[in-house]
Amino acid sequence: MTVWEGKRFTVTVEDGYEIARTPDAVAIVALDGDGRFVLVRQRRPAADAELLELPAGLVDDGEAPLETAKRELREETGLQGGTWRELAGFWSSPGFVDEYVTVFAADALDEGEPDLDEGEELEVVRWTRAEVEARVGELRDATTLVGLLLFLRSR
Amino acid sequence: MTVWEGKRFTVTVEDGYEIARTPDAVAIVALDGDGRFVLVRQRRPAADAELLELPAGLVDDGEAPLETAKRELREETGLQGGTWRELAGFWSSPGFVDEYVTVFAADALDEGEPDLDEGEELEVVRWTRAEVEARVGELRDATTLVGLLLFLRSR
């Protein structure tokens, strides 16, 4: 039963379990043409903090997650083209949220112009692999940690 | 402004941002006296799946996260004592959830009797380090992935 309905998410109660229902999400471990990791820094009101994260976004109805990932990466950073593979899939907080996140890895990306949504403000930050290896533990977003840690193990 | 209030979480809208507000959480990378990793398998209605996860729980009002972690580990698995350290802290889904998760690592734990909450059903599963190394990519809970991946890097 739906007990609250917003624009970003909805709340249902099923068999006594309160569940926050949200579109599925994607995130991208993106490497530019120089092999640098491309991250985005943005203010997150829910965390009351500015977080450095993988480029990410929500899957539109009927959209394949890989298409979402390519669209969001291009909108947020301008990066496009490149070689893509699926890296991981997981629930972000399955105790009460139905959000499933698919993380892709993309490398050898070409530069382009970002195309941010109205009101979207973010700073693009690029880290070398050595910086990621040294500083991954400083990051504070679960999806970003999973994506980068799995990527580092994969090669 | 609070727009919906449940037992497990609450929804507020601030400056147009819809936020699911929940107690902070803890999880534990727990190693038994034989150096095996102790995981719990349980049904997660929000994911509509049975997930293998780190032992975890929610911080009670006024409780220190380390105390929550020791209490939850003992309740879910019976394990107690041992040597503890903080391993990581992160937001699970900062796009719309305020949940901050602290992960502890505990080793050389002593066996004891679990003490599950009424209605709580879980299966305790123990993996060797070699199994964790080989199978961590199969896991589907973000906090579990972050905790195990950071632990594997830390030694």
Side-chain angles (χ1 to χ4, degrees), chain A residues 25-47:
Chain A
V26 297
I28 308 103
V29 177
L31 274 69
D32 68 16
D34 298 324
R36 290 176 304 177
F37 291 69
V38 180
L39 304 170
V40 295
R41 191 192 309 280
Q42 63 190 307
R43 171 131 204 99
R44 289 299 202 178

Side-chain angles (χ1 to χ4, degrees), chain B residues 12 14-16 20 51 63-64 68 77 87 96 108 113 119 122 124 129:
Chain B
T12 67
E14 332 262 350
D15 296 333
L51 298 182
E63 192 177 35
T68 308
T77 70
L87 184 65
F96 77 107
E113 283 304 310
L122 45 81
V124 175
R129 174 156 184 145

